[in-house]
Amino acid sequence: MKIDNLNYLQLRVLLSVYKNGQANIAATELGLSNCNVTRILNALRDIFMDSLFIRKSHGLIPTKKLEELIPHAKYLVEQYQLLERQHSVFTPSESGGHFVIRAYDEFVYAVHKVIANYIQPEAPNIRFDVRSLSHDCNNELITGDIDFVVVYEGFDDSRLNNEIFSETGDIYILANHNHPILEGEMSLEQLSNYPLLEIDNYNDLSCPLLVNLCRDNGLQMDVAGYTDSVATAMQLLAQSNSITLSCNQFTRQFVDMIPSVNYRRLTDEMINDIKEIRSEQRAVGNYILYGNINNSPAFNWVKSKLVYGLEREWRLASAN
């Protein structure tokens, strides 16, 4: 065993391939070429005098020897990361890395915009995997498999950290552009006459807010259905008399591009009542969630850029 040749990058590659079961996925995660990962794996096989992985149709399977090595590799990487956090100087333009972000569908475009406009001009070598959030991923945040989640609801774990990038202000009704709800005086009685299409990502709420408000006032509102896709919601609204509730400025901004759907602000009284219902669970607002695993300078820099960028984009959307 040629342990003197072992280095930090090799350990990171080993752990990434072990976690993902694919060398090409590890290459993307670490910002390396496939050839580099292959070369590093070959060097690791020489160091440990073991094949380390067995190639199967569904991916790379770790050998018994590798399973024994993994706890030690994780410990060494943690120590390297501790040194990096405490003693290295972070330079965005020279930094690499790979960050996994999950966001409610309403926030995905805004996150991509922040990455393109606020992060990559300063740190072109940092890579991102941004996808829509469709399940409760608290455990993945806690373990570090996901770096950031952008949401406005759905967290109550003390092991998670959160930073608010905007408070919820106006709340809107979205509907077909010819819908009668968009004209005349608005009342809760009037709203309750139409079925609600709920934009719901993973059933954080046991009862939709508007339905809840109607019930509190002795009214009944039917639920037309649920969707976690804003684009799908717009198509359904355009073809029905359903209405939906939105407190997201990015969604309202999206609606401006759709001629068949329009929006109208709720009355101050309704907005205050809905906020009161929601604030019983936690402060109303839009959040970035993250765990305690990664405290590297790159992680903290990306976090600060996400918070700043989303807050600024929210203000710009609100002003339009």
Side-chain angles (χ1 to χ4, degrees):
M1 184 180 295
K2 308 170 186 177
I3 199 71
D4 289 347
N5 297 329
L6 190 63
N7 62 47
Y8 180 30
L9 178 59
Q10 290 172 332
L11 289 170
R12 290 171 62 211
V13 168
L14 186 67
L15 290 178
S16 184
V17 176
Y18 175 79
K19 179 183 73 175
N20 294 298
Q22 299 283 353
N24 60 329
I25 297 177
T28 300
E29 183 175 83
L30 298 173
L32 302 172
S33 68
N34 290 340
C35 290
N36 267 345
V37 170
T38 299
R39 186 161 51 248
I40 289 170
L41 285 176
N42 287 335
L44 287 166
R45 291 182 179 108
D46 289 341
I47 289 172
F48 294 110
M49 294 181 289
D50 188 84
S51 63
L52 300 178
F53 296 97
I54 300 169
R55 187 174 297 279
K56 298 286 186 180
S57 59
H58 55 282
L60 299 174
I61 307 302
T63 63
K64 181 180 178 181
K65 177 68 168 284
L66 179 56
E67 292 287 7
E68 295 172 352
L69 291 170
I70 286 300
H72 302 289
K74 287 181 177 178
Y75 173 77
L76 289 172
V77 166
E78 288 172 359
Q79 296 306 304
Y80 273 115
Q81 289 174 340
L82 182 62
L83 282 172
E84 187 178 45
R85 289 195 298 269
Q86 294 183 350
H87 302 291
S88 65
V89 177
F90 174 69
T91 306
S93 61
E94 298 175 3
S95 178
H98 180 269
F99 293 93
V100 176
I101 302 175
R102 298 291 177 262
Y104 278 174
D105 192 47
E106 302 93 311
F107 291 118
V108 170
Y109 172 73
V111 171
H112 277 291
K113 191 175 181 182
V114 169
I115 291 169
N117 294 342
Y118 299 89
I119 296 178
Q120 290 189 326
E122 295 185 51
N125 298 318
I126 296 180
R127 297 168 181 254
F128 294 89
D129 174 4
V130 183
R131 302 186 192 184
S132 294
L133 175 66
S134 59
H135 66 285
D136 186 338
C137 61
N138 284 8
N139 287 335
E140 292 156 280
L141 273 173
I142 292 165
T143 60
D145 292 326
I146 292 177
D147 295 294
F148 302 103
V149 169
V150 184
V151 293
Y152 45 77
E153 58 189 30
F155 60 93
D156 56 5
D157 197 306
S158 60
R159 294 169 292 179
L160 295 179
N161 306 299
N162 67 81
E163 294 205 24
I164 188 168
F165 62 85
S166 65
E167 295 182 357
T168 296
D170 295 333
I171 302 178
Y172 304 91
I173 287 292
L174 279 56
N176 182 296
H177 71 292
N178 290 321
H179 201 294
I181 202 70
L182 299 175
E183 300 292 338
E185 186 176 345
M186 180 184 289
S187 68
L188 201 56
E189 290 80 6
Q190 183 189 22
L191 291 174
S192 67
N193 291 325
Y194 302 101
L196 179 77
L197 174 65
E198 179 76 349
I199 303 176
D200 189 8
N201 296 78
Y202 59 83
N203 299 327
D204 171 68
L205 297 171
S206 58
C207 177
L209 289 169
L210 197 54
V211 173
N212 202 344
L213 183 59
C214 285
R215 287 179 181 174
D216 288 348
N217 287 271
L219 301 168
Q220 180 177 337
M221 171 177 273
D222 294 332
V223 178
Y226 295 82
T227 180
D228 60 2
S229 166
V230 172
T232 297
M234 296 307 107
Q235 290 178 300
L236 293 172
L237 291 176
Q239 300 169 13
S240 71
N241 69 337
S242 297
I243 61 176
T244 195
L245 189 73
S246 176
C247 58
N248 193 293
Q249 294 294 344
F250 300 134
T251 302
R252 186 190 58 78
Q253 195 176 45
F254 177 57
V255 172
D256 286 336
M257 299 186 293
I258 305 172
S260 56
V261 178
N262 210 333
Y263 57 85
R264 182 181 182 185
R265 184 181 181 274
L266 287 179
T267 65
D268 289 338
E269 183 180 0
M270 291 182 195
I271 290 174
N272 291 333
D273 288 343
I274 286 174
K275 287 183 179 180
E276 186 175 344
I277 293 172
R278 195 61 180 115
S279 63
E280 290 176 1
Q281 300 184 34
R282 58 152 240 272
V284 177
N286 305 290
Y287 295 82
I288 292 177
L289 309 185
Y290 54 96
N292 295 316
I293 294 293
N294 194 341
N295 284 303
S296 69
F299 180 91
N300 289 324
W301 183 81
V302 168
K303 177 183 67 180
S304 68
K305 286 293 185 179
L306 285 172
V307 173
Y308 168 75
L310 286 170
E311 186 273 336
R312 189 168 189 275
E313 288 300 319
W314 183 274
R315 281 192 286 108
L316 291 173
S318 303
N320 295 331

